Amino acid sequence: MTEIKMIALDMDGTLLDSQKKLSERNRRALAACAARGIQIVPATGRAVHGIYPEIKAMPGVRYAIATNGGVVADLSEEKNLQTCAISNEQTLRILRMIEKYPAMYDPYIEGWAIAQPEFLEHLDRYGISPVMQKMVHATRKVVPNIIRFVEESKKEAEKINVFFGDMEEREKLRRELEQIDGLFISSSLYNNLEINRKEATKGNAILWLAEYLGIPRESVMAFGDGGNDVSMLKEAGIGVAMENGVDEAKAAADYITVSNDADGVAAALECFVLGQDGSRSWT
């Protein structure tokens, strides 16, 4: 097997358990990989400021892929190496379209997910679990009115996230969005849509970062569970999907590990990278 030099990790549903916690086993396995000089790269749908400090502080973590590939960041230098964002004009067009639906929406701008009070006060309406609600409150920058903020700031959006309580409405919006050229529509959860510029995918981002670091594609290992991870699982030299992942992610992967609640990341790393389990069982 080609030597692994970069490990790209989705966070929610993959590296983190169902309570949004980093297990000790996963932490140890990643620290052992970092000790071998392997780059540990969070690759998430979250904005840069939504990545937990404990993740950023892990050994081997310097770079991150955020907002599904909308941003490739150097965390040490606190700067973006590459940005692939939706224009301000397009962002406003999309937000005004979404505004007609019974949905919660938040554009991701300059490393922050932007929210407004009326959404945060009624998260139950949008099928957001208590654990997810806690994370949402901890990672949003609150403004009085999102659309007015985007109009006045004239900023681009790295991503637009939309949560629904009604899945029929979700599919209706997806079909409407698919009529707009230049967008990539994906999901990381059953009740959301994630809107990026067409070129902004985790797959494109890991290839860009690998080239930037002088790492061949074959030496990249990626982990994911959601529809927004499919491109990354396909482009990596080794793609590993979680047992709890969606069928599309499993089909795109080279291997399937156990669930995020069973330390699936550590199980795969112990097998493929750290050489602790020649049998390749995932327990």
Side-chain angles (χ1 to χ4, degrees):
M1 179 182 293
T2 303
E3 181 184 5
I4 298 301
K5 296 183 178 180
M6 185 173 102
I7 298 169
L9 297 147
D10 172 58
M11 290 175 55
D12 301 292
T14 300
L15 178 60
L16 305 178
D17 65 21
S18 296
Q19 300 303 309
K20 308 294 183 186
K21 302 292 185 183
L22 175 66
S23 74
E24 187 56 36
R25 184 182 176 193
N26 280 347
R27 189 193 305 274
R28 286 198 308 268
L30 288 169
C33 291
R36 298 185 178 198
I38 298 172
Q39 296 282 346
I40 309 299
V41 181
T44 179
R46 299 187 188 205
V48 169
H49 291 296
I51 302 173
Y52 292 152
E54 70 170 327
I55 302 294
K56 294 179 180 178
M58 288 195 308
V61 174
R62 173 169 178 173
Y63 304 98
I65 292 163
T67 57
N68 292 338
V71 167
V72 180
D74 183 329
L75 301 175
S76 177
E77 297 290 332
E78 297 185 348
K79 67 179 182 181
N80 293 345
L81 299 175
Q82 184 191 57
T83 302
C84 187
I86 306 168
S87 71
N88 180 262
E89 179 183 8
Q90 187 85 300
T91 298
L92 286 169
R93 177 187 175 189
I94 294 166
L95 291 176
R96 288 175 180 136
M97 179 185 296
I98 298 168
E99 190 181 24
K100 301 172 186 176
Y101 287 82
M104 168 187 167
Y105 51 88
D106 40 6
Y108 289 36
I109 295 173
E110 294 187 332
W112 291 97
I114 309 299
Q116 62 190 41
E118 68 181 80
F119 292 147
L120 297 180
E121 292 165 6
H122 302 286
L123 293 176
D124 288 338
R125 293 179 183 174
Y126 311 107
I128 301 175
S129 68
V131 171
M132 189 72 177
Q133 289 186 30
K134 184 177 179 181
M135 188 272 282
V136 168
H137 280 289
T139 57
R140 263 55 178 179
K141 179 178 180 179
V142 183
V143 300
N145 182 279
I146 290 170
I147 292 179
R148 188 180 309 124
F149 174 82
V150 175
E151 285 178 327
E152 294 175 353
S153 71
K154 303 189 184 307
K155 301 293 186 181
E156 298 178 325
E158 298 159 6
K159 186 184 87 168
I160 301 170
N161 187 43
V162 194
F163 283 105
F164 293 84
D166 186 327
M167 296 306 103
E168 290 184 6
E169 292 294 307
R170 174 178 176 267
E171 291 311 304
K172 183 179 176 182
L173 177 60
R174 180 192 286 272
R175 290 192 296 270
E176 192 172 355
L177 290 167
E178 287 172 347
Q179 302 307 308
I180 301 175
D181 290 336
L183 299 181
F184 180 73
I185 316 299
S186 63
S187 298
S188 59
L189 300 165
Y190 81 95
N191 63 333
N192 86 327
L193 292 176
E194 303 186 18
I195 306 159
N196 286 87
R197 207 171 99 186
K198 186 176 181 179
E199 300 83 2
T201 67
K202 291 186 182 184
N204 285 342
I206 64 168
L207 292 179
W208 187 93
L209 181 59
E211 183 176 5
Y212 176 83
L213 297 173
I215 295 173
R217 170 186 170 277
E218 295 75 16
S219 294
V220 177
M221 190 176 199
F223 290 82
D225 74 301
N228 61 336
D229 297 316
V230 169
S231 63
M232 177 170 71
L233 295 172
K234 288 180 176 178
E235 294 293 354
I238 299 177
V240 182
M242 312 304 290
E243 186 178 57
N244 53 284
V246 299
D247 291 342
E248 189 182 7
K250 293 177 183 178
D254 300 295
Y255 299 96
I256 299 173
T257 185
V258 292
S259 78
N260 62 319
D261 286 323
D263 302 327
V265 167
L269 293 177
E270 290 163 3
C271 166
F272 285 107
V273 181
L274 301 174
Q276 297 177 12
D277 184 2
S279 68
R280 292 192 177 177
S281 67
W282 300 111
T283 55

